[in-house]
Coordinates of all heavy atoms in Angstrom, one line a residue:
K39 N 78.4 86.9 89.5 CA 77.3 87.8 89.1 C 77.6 88.2 87.7 O 78.6 88.8 87.4 CB 77.3 89.0 90.1 CG 76.3 90.0 89.6 CD 74.9 89.6 89.8 CE 73.9 90.6 89.2 NZ 72.5 90.1 89.3
Y41 N 76.0 90.5 84.6 CA 75.0 91.4 84.2 C 74.8 91.3 82.7 O 75.7 90.9 82.0 CB 75.5 92.9 84.4 CG 75.7 93.3 85.9 CD1 76.9 93.4 86.4 CD2 74.6 93.5 86.7 CE1 77.1 93.8 87.8 CE2 74.7 93.9 88.0 CZ 76.0 94.1 88.6 OH 76.1 94.4 89.9
Q42 N 73.6 91.5 82.3 CA 73.2 91.5 80.9 C 73.2 92.9 80.4 O 72.5 93.8 80.9 CB 71.9 90.8 80.7 CG 71.6 90.2 79.3 CD 72.5 89.0 79.1 OE1 72.8 88.2 80.0 NE2 73.1 88.9 77.9
D43 N 74.0 93.3 79.4 CA 74.0 94.6 78.8 C 73.7 94.5 77.3 O 74.6 94.3 76.5 CB 75.4 95.2 79.0 CG 75.5 96.7 78.5 OD1 74.4 97.3 78.3 OD2 76.6 97.2 78.4
I48 N 78.3 90.8 81.0 CA 79.4 91.4 81.8 C 79.6 90.5 83.1 O 78.7 90.5 83.9 CB 79.2 92.8 82.2 CG1 79.0 93.7 81.0 CG2 80.3 93.4 83.1 CD1 78.4 95.0 81.2
V49 N 80.8 89.8 83.1 CA 81.0 89.0 84.3 C 81.7 89.9 85.4 O 82.9 90.2 85.3 CB 82.0 87.8 84.0 CG1 82.2 86.9 85.2 CG2 81.4 87.0 82.8
A50 N 80.8 90.4 86.3 CA 81.3 91.4 87.3 C 82.1 90.6 88.4 O 83.1 91.1 88.9 CB 80.2 92.2 87.8
V51 N 81.5 89.5 88.8 CA 82.2 88.7 89.9 C 82.2 87.2 89.4 O 81.2 86.7 88.9 CB 81.3 88.7 91.2 CG1 82.0 87.9 92.3 CG2 81.2 90.2 91.7
G68 N 90.4 97.0 95.2 CA 90.8 96.7 93.8 C 90.4 98.0 93.0 O 89.8 98.9 93.4
P69 N 90.9 98.0 91.7 CA 90.6 99.1 90.9 C 89.2 99.3 90.5 O 88.4 98.3 90.7 CB 91.5 98.8 89.6 CG 91.7 97.4 89.6 CD 91.6 96.9 91.0
S70 N 88.8 100.4 89.9 CA 87.4 100.7 89.5 C 86.9 99.6 88.5 O 87.6 99.2 87.6 CB 87.4 102.1 88.8 OG 86.1 102.4 88.5
G71 N 85.7 99.1 88.8 CA 85.1 98.1 87.8 C 85.5 96.7 88.1 O 85.1 95.8 87.3
C72 N 86.3 96.4 89.2 CA 86.8 95.0 89.4 C 85.7 94.1 90.1 O 85.9 92.9 90.2 CB 88.0 95.0 90.2 SG 87.8 95.6 91.9
G73 N 84.6 94.7 90.5 CA 83.5 93.8 91.1 C 83.4 94.0 92.6 O 82.6 93.2 93.2
K74 N 84.0 95.0 93.2 CA 83.9 95.1 94.7 C 82.4 95.4 95.1 O 81.9 94.7 96.0 CB 84.7 96.3 95.2 CG 86.2 96.3 94.7 CD 86.9 97.6 95.2 CE 86.5 98.9 94.6 NZ 86.8 99.1 93.2
T75 N 81.8 96.4 94.5 CA 80.5 96.8 95.0 C 79.5 95.7 94.7 O 78.6 95.5 95.5 CB 80.1 98.2 94.3 OG1 81.0 99.2 94.7 CG2 78.7 98.6 94.6
T76 N 79.6 95.1 93.5 CA 78.7 94.0 93.2 C 78.8 92.9 94.2 O 77.7 92.4 94.7 CB 79.0 93.4 91.8 OG1 78.9 94.5 90.8 CG2 78.1 92.3 91.4
T77 N 80.0 92.5 94.7 CA 80.1 91.5 95.7 C 79.4 91.9 97.0 O 78.6 91.2 97.6 CB 81.6 91.3 96.0 OG1 82.3 90.9 94.8 CG2 81.8 90.2 97.0
R79 N 77.0 94.2 97.4 CA 75.6 94.2 97.2 C 74.9 92.9 97.2 O 73.8 92.7 97.7 CB 75.3 95.0 95.9 CG 75.5 96.5 96.0 CD 75.3 97.2 94.6 NE 73.9 97.1 94.2 CZ 73.0 98.0 94.6 NH1 73.3 99.0 95.4 NH2 71.7 97.8 94.2
N85 N 71.7 92.9 95.3 CA 71.8 92.2 94.0 C 71.6 90.7 94.2 O 72.1 90.1 95.2 CB 73.3 92.4 93.5 CG 73.4 93.8 92.8 OD1 72.6 94.6 92.8 ND2 74.6 94.0 92.3
D190 N 80.5 100.5 101.9 CA 80.8 100.7 100.5 C 81.5 102.1 100.3 O 80.7 103.1 100.2 CB 79.6 100.6 99.6 CG 80.0 100.5 98.1 OD1 81.2 100.5 97.8 OD2 79.1 100.5 97.3
E191 N 82.8 102.2 100.3 CA 83.5 103.4 100.1 C 83.0 104.6 101.0 O 82.7 105.7 100.4 CB 83.5 103.8 98.6 CG 84.0 102.7 97.7 CD 85.2 103.1 96.9 OE1 85.9 104.1 97.2 OE2 85.5 102.3 96.0
V222 N 84.4 97.9 101.5 CA 84.9 98.0 100.1 C 85.5 99.4 99.9 O 85.0 100.4 100.3 CB 83.6 97.9 99.2 CG1 83.9 98.5 97.8 CG2 83.2 96.5 99.0
T223 N 86.7 99.4 99.3 CA 87.4 100.6 98.9 C 88.3 100.4 97.7 O 88.7 99.3 97.4 CB 88.2 101.1 100.1 OG1 88.9 102.3 99.8 CG2 89.3 100.1 100.6
H224 N 88.7 101.5 97.0 CA 89.7 101.4 96.0 C 91.0 101.9 96.6 O 92.0 101.9 95.9 CB 89.3 102.1 94.7 CG 89.2 103.6 94.9 ND1 88.0 104.2 95.4 CD2 90.1 104.6 94.9 CE1 88.2 105.5 95.5 NE2 89.5 105.7 95.2
I239 N 90.9 92.2 94.7 CA 90.1 91.6 93.7 C 90.5 92.3 92.3 O 90.8 93.5 92.3 CB 88.6 91.8 94.0 CG1 87.7 91.3 92.9 CG2 88.2 93.2 94.4 CD1 86.2 91.2 93.3
Ligands
ATP1106 P1 83.9 101.1 91.3 O1 85.0 101.2 92.3 O2 84.1 102.0 90.1 O3 82.5 101.3 91.9 P2 83.7 98.2 91.5 O4 84.9 97.5 91.7 O5 82.8 98.4 92.7 O6 83.9 99.6 90.8 P3 81.3 97.1 90.2 O7 80.5 98.4 90.4 O8 81.0 95.9 91.1 O9 82.9 97.4 90.4 O10 81.2 96.7 88.7 C1 81.8 95.6 88.1 C2 81.5 95.5 86.7 O11 80.1 95.3 86.5 C3 81.9 96.8 85.9 O12 82.3 96.4 84.6 C4 80.5 97.5 85.8 O13 80.5 98.3 84.7 C5 79.5 96.3 85.7 N1 78.2 96.7 86.3 C6 78.0 97.1 87.6 N2 76.7 97.2 87.8 C7 76.0 97.0 86.6 C8 74.7 97.0 86.1 N3 73.7 97.3 87.0 N4 74.4 96.6 84.8 C9 75.5 96.3 84.0 N5 76.8 96.3 84.4 C10 77.1 96.6 85.6

Side-chain angles (χ1 to χ4, degrees):
K39 175 68 185 176
Y41 293 108
Q42 206 66 42
D43 184 16
I48 298 166
V49 183
V51 179
S70 184
C72 67
K74 306 180 291 293
T75 296
T76 300
T77 304
R79 287 176 64 87
N85 278 3
D190 191 4
E191 308 241 13
V222 160
T223 181
H224 64 272
I239 179 168

